[in-house]
Amino acid sequence: MIMAMWLCKHLNSNLLTRDNLTERKSSSVATEARKHYQKFKRVPSTLLIRLIQQRLTEEDCVKRGWILDGIPETREQALVIQTLGIAPRHVIVLNAPDTVLIERNLGKRIDPQTREIYHTTFDWPPEPEVQDRLIEPEGISEQETAQKLLVYHRNIIKLLPSYPRVLKTINADQPCVDVFYQALTFVQSGHRSNAPFTPRVLLLGPMGSGKSLQAGLLAQKYGLVNVCCGQLLKETVADKSKVGELIWSFLEKKVTVPDSVILKMLTERLDQQDCVQRGWVLHGFPRDVDQAQRLDGLGYVPNRVFFLNVPLDSIMERLTLRRIDPVTGERYHLMYKPPPTMEIQARLSQHPRDAEERVKLKVDLYYRNSTELEHFYRWAIAINGDQDPYTVFEYIESGIINPLPRKVL
């Protein structure tokens, strides 16, 4: 926390922590998060990520940047954040022996007025009035700290692979000033794009094939703009632009939005400077060959296309077993992430889109159109999406870095 605060002051950036996100008075999401914390002593990942999304769209974060402290805490959170296109340019891990961390934590004190953090040994304020009002924060006893460290070590091993090429580990068992300057030097360095050209990537596959996750990983590693057609529809409607109002008129009547309207929305996004300069990864469109031809005809031609193929049985397993806790907002999977208690399991509900019949219908519709799409994108790369997501990502990455194979006709 201290290191993050120092970096924010030096860089004139914004510090985002779980505490200051949930303490915001102007946010209904923060109010909901506080209620959950008061009742369950934790903030569900879904609420925390919504708070981050909300905060990052505000003007000060857009202009001055941000530092996330202690978030994400788990691999699951990291994957969801990446899927949303939130991609930190630098990730720092501070390492120190547990005995040192426990000792440091015991001396931590907080100024209730400024929320500044001090330490009884390393950073004691010189002003007597500040010293007098310092308080000991909750949860810093030796036993509580040891328990938190146990959970941290369990999660960090799975979390670190989410941030290849932007990660730096710093030994924190040295003077704070030395740690700070190492961290500052790292965050002030720029990363060159790993991509050998400006990528325009198209991901195709049925629902549940992992397109959103792979798009998030590509955006993270190569700095691409993550263009999800479904998310873009929601954002355009929320902007209340002319196109947004037009889209809403169709959604309100529960009528399919015409291709011409979707293409207008997409072309406006793909014409923006960030997409032109950094490249993009598009998913959720096109869904059939007519849409692909129209996109191509407008000049938005992808230079890499990937088909993520997943068997129906695997898709059904991934989607129809998903559940949400209506009380905490926490998401579960009956096979991969079952609820911890029978009480929670009894109140879980299923989102209508994950119903078996609806999933089958959408997957069937995709595969009915996929043959023509495969013929249209003859040079596309087919990937088995029924694997660990990082294995799938390695295949996609290989397809981006290496030249396209010449196919003999």
Side-chain angles (χ1 to χ4, degrees):
M1 172 69 90
I2 292 175
M3 206 55 56
M5 289 173 67
W6 286 4
L7 285 171
C8 279
K9 285 182 179 179
H10 194 91
L11 300 169
N12 190 29
S13 190
N14 298 282
L15 178 61
L16 278 61
T17 68
R18 187 185 63 182
D19 289 344
N20 67 26
L21 286 169
T22 55
E23 286 170 3
R24 307 188 74 216
K25 304 300 182 187
S26 58
S27 167
S28 58
V29 183
T31 303
E32 190 180 348
R34 285 196 299 274
K35 288 178 181 176
H36 277 292
Y37 186 79
Q38 288 165 5
K39 191 171 183 179
F40 302 101
K41 296 302 177 188
R42 58 184 292 276
V43 177
S45 295
T46 47
L47 281 179
L48 186 60
I49 291 167
R50 280 171 61 196
L51 281 170
I52 294 169
Q53 268 188 295
Q54 189 181 71
R55 183 71 181 90
L56 294 186
T57 58
E58 295 178 6
E59 189 177 4
D60 59 340
C61 280
V62 173
K63 285 185 175 179
R64 297 183 0 234
W66 43 267
I67 293 177
L68 275 173
D69 179 37
I71 307 170
E73 298 174 328
T74 65
R75 179 175 179 268
E76 183 185 22
Q77 286 181 3
L79 294 179
V80 175
I81 287 171
Q82 288 174 332
T83 300
L84 294 171
I86 300 169
R89 294 176 186 171
H90 304 84
V91 177
I92 296 174
V93 178
L94 302 178
N95 276 344
D98 284 359
T99 50
V100 172
L101 296 173
I102 290 169
E103 183 183 349
R104 286 183 181 176
N105 216 31
L106 289 171
K108 193 182 291 183
R109 298 295 182 268
I110 294 179
D111 184 336
Q113 289 186 14
T114 64
R115 307 306 296 174
E116 291 272 357
I117 296 175
Y118 297 95
H119 195 278
T120 53
T121 305
F122 309 114
D123 186 27
W124 194 243
E127 305 87 352
E129 65 274 15
V130 177
Q131 295 175 11
D132 292 340
R133 67 173 182 248
L134 294 185
I135 59 172
E136 183 178 304
E138 294 180 1
I140 66 167
S141 71
E142 185 172 344
Q143 186 176 355
E144 288 170 305
T145 304
Q147 183 60 39
K148 287 176 184 176
L149 285 170
L150 186 65
V151 174
Y152 168 80
H153 290 310
R154 217 178 276 146
N155 287 325
I156 196 68
I157 297 171
K158 300 175 184 177
L159 184 59
L160 295 186
S162 302
Y163 298 104
R165 308 289 179 96
V166 296
L167 180 71
K168 182 176 180 63
T169 301
I170 298 175
N171 174 23
D173 189 16
Q174 52 182 321
C176 288
V177 173
D178 294 343
V179 177
F180 169 69
Y181 280 111
Q182 287 180 55
L184 182 63
T185 302
F186 175 61
V187 299
Q188 288 181 326
S189 67
H191 294 302
R192 291 182 61 188
S193 172
N194 297 306
F197 53 91
T198 303
R200 300 187 299 276
V201 181
L202 176 61
L203 298 181
L204 296 167
M207 66 181 301
S209 58
K211 299 186 296 295
S212 295
L213 173 56
Q214 296 303 326
L217 292 173
L218 285 169
Q220 162 71 41
K221 182 160 187 179
Y222 293 107
L224 310 184
V225 179
N226 186 350
V227 183
C228 170
C229 189
Q231 183 63 29
L232 193 56
L233 276 168
K234 294 176 186 175
E235 290 172 1
T236 308
V237 169
D239 286 344
K240 297 184 178 178
S241 60
K242 288 183 179 178
V243 178
E245 289 174 1
L246 184 59
I247 291 169
W248 174 244
S249 68
F250 291 104
L251 296 177
E252 195 175 23
K253 298 171 187 172
K254 296 185 178 178
V255 177
T256 303
V257 181
D259 289 352
S260 57
V261 179
I262 292 178
L263 281 163
K264 181 172 176 56
M265 173 194 71
L266 269 178
T267 53
E268 284 182 2
R269 183 66 189 94
L270 296 178
D271 281 339
Q272 289 180 22
Q273 195 67 23
D274 57 348
C275 284
V276 174
Q277 287 185 339
R278 289 158 45 197
W280 42 263
V281 50
L282 172 64
H283 51 112
F285 190 95
R287 296 177 183 273
D288 56 47
V289 73
D290 290 336
Q291 292 178 347
Q293 288 171 341
R294 294 185 69 175
L295 188 68
D296 202 64
L298 290 168
Y300 302 94
V301 183
N303 47 31
R304 292 293 186 273
V305 178
F306 299 92
F307 283 88
L308 303 182
N309 296 323
V310 181
L312 177 61
D313 289 348
S314 295
I315 292 173
M316 298 299 286
E317 184 181 281
R318 288 181 183 185
L319 301 184
T320 62
L321 298 180
R322 294 194 299 196
R323 297 292 186 271
I324 188 166
D325 185 340
V327 176
T328 65
E330 192 71 34
R331 296 180 185 274
Y332 295 97
H333 191 281
L334 298 183
M335 182 175 291
Y336 305 132
K337 187 191 172 186
T341 67
M342 294 300 292
E343 180 189 354
I344 294 175
Q345 183 166 341
R347 67 179 185 236
L348 295 183
S349 61
Q350 183 184 50
H351 195 287
R353 69 166 175 256
D354 292 337
E356 188 172 330
E357 289 305 314
R358 192 163 175 181
V359 172
K360 280 183 180 176
L361 186 67
K362 290 205 168 188
V363 172
D364 181 59
L365 181 62
Y366 167 78
Y367 279 117
R368 259 188 273 161
N369 292 318
S370 65
T371 303
E372 287 185 325
L373 280 169
E374 286 169 8
H375 182 72
F376 183 78
Y377 295 115
R378 288 188 298 274
W379 43 273
I381 299 170
I383 293 175
N384 173 17
D386 193 18
Q387 307 178 76
D388 175 82
Y390 285 102
T391 303
V392 175
F393 180 67
E394 285 174 7
Y395 281 112
I396 293 175
E397 192 176 20
S398 174
I400 289 176
I401 293 172
N402 297 322
L404 289 171
R406 292 184 180 180
K407 293 188 177 180
V408 181
L409 301 177

